[in-house]
Amino acid sequence: KGTPNGSTEANYAQIFGGSKTGDCDPTNLIIHSGTFSNVVSGSQSGIVKRNTKVILKDVTILDTLTAGVDSEVDGSTYIYASAINMPGDSYEEGKLESNDLPGGVTLTESTIITGGCNRAEVTGDTHVFIEGTSKIWDVQGAGRGGGSSVNKSNVTIGGKAVVKHIVAGSITDGMNSGGDKQCVKNTNITVKDQSIVCSVFGAGYDT
């Protein structure tokens, strides 16, 4: 059910499909209502053996939706989201004159979806599907930082979903070292139906 109220994202629960520490088997997380700070289909640390999957509907997330934090995924990742709300920060939503922030909540940073992990590798491909009446700020197919490499990232935006800022195939936080490191080999972005996306970047953003 999530957390009933709070003033910032820190006041809301976070959900992990895997474990906080240590290795685990494939994960399959389903959430059909509630408000959360973070939703992680995999684990916080350790290794997820094979795939991670999360299915979301009628859910609000106030920080990050991701496949893992410091947890490697030894397989592929799948995020299916319909009618989810992931707003920008309070300033951004105020400029848009939207009502997408829960009442009484102040955000100093916008939310983000990452098909990969924050700081760990996905050995297979990532798959992000955003559909229905979802309202999202940022979506990126790969991980978060330079150490979060994936093989191929796939992002599909459909239905009447709205992405208010960007869809990127790669990462947003930049590489954490120089050289020719490769955070993703290939990206595939599809925008279809009656969905609306502000900006599309086949590669990364701030990368």
Side-chain angles (χ1 to χ4, degrees):
K1 294 182 178 180
T3 317
N5 52 58
S7 58
T8 71
E9 69 274 15
N11 298 121
Y12 290 81
Q14 56 182 349
I15 302 295
F16 291 88
S19 65
K20 187 172 183 179
T21 59
D23 300 345
C24 69
D25 291 327
T27 66
N28 189 3
L29 177 63
I30 300 174
I31 307 175
H32 278 171
S33 67
T35 300
F36 305 90
S37 59
N38 297 292
V39 173
V40 182
S41 62
S43 299
Q44 183 166 331
S45 63
I47 298 175
V48 177
K49 302 170 185 176
R50 292 183 294 180
N51 302 334
T52 70
K53 181 192 295 184
V54 59
I55 300 173
L56 303 167
K57 184 178 181 182
D58 296 326
V59 170
T60 295
I61 299 174
L62 300 176
D63 193 336
T64 303
L65 168 59
T66 184
V69 183
D70 296 310
S71 170
E72 176 184 329
V73 177
D74 190 11
S76 295
T77 69
Y78 299 84
I79 294 174
Y80 301 92
S82 176
I84 71 164
N85 176 34
M86 293 187 64
D89 63 33
S90 295
Y91 173 82
E92 293 160 342
E93 292 295 337
K95 289 297 182 180
L96 293 176
E97 298 181 352
S98 78
N99 296 311
D100 295 334
L101 279 170
V105 171
T106 299
L107 293 185
T108 57
E109 294 187 5
S110 55
T111 62
I112 191 167
I113 297 173
T114 69
C117 300
N118 283 359
R119 294 178 292 272
E121 179 184 7
V122 175
T123 62
D125 300 340
T126 63
H127 307 266
V128 180
F129 301 91
I130 310 297
E131 297 182 337
T133 55
S134 296
K135 295 181 180 180
I136 308 295
W137 188 256
D138 283 339
V139 183
Q140 56 196 55
R144 188 69 180 260
S148 56
S149 62
V150 307
N151 184 44
K152 178 182 179 182
S153 72
N154 302 276
V155 179
T156 300
I157 312 296
K160 295 183 179 180
V162 175
V163 180
K164 304 172 187 176
H165 189 216
I166 65 163
V167 173
S170 179
I171 63 177
T172 56
D173 282 0
M175 304 303 290
N176 56 13
S177 64
D180 60 353
K181 288 183 64 179
Q182 188 176 58
C183 59
V184 61
K185 291 182 180 179
N186 299 288
T187 68
N188 179 38
I189 299 174
T190 302
V191 180
K192 63 179 185 177
D193 304 327
Q194 295 176 275
S195 61
I196 299 173
V197 175
C198 178
S199 300
V200 177
F201 297 88
Y205 181 81
D206 274 353
T207 301

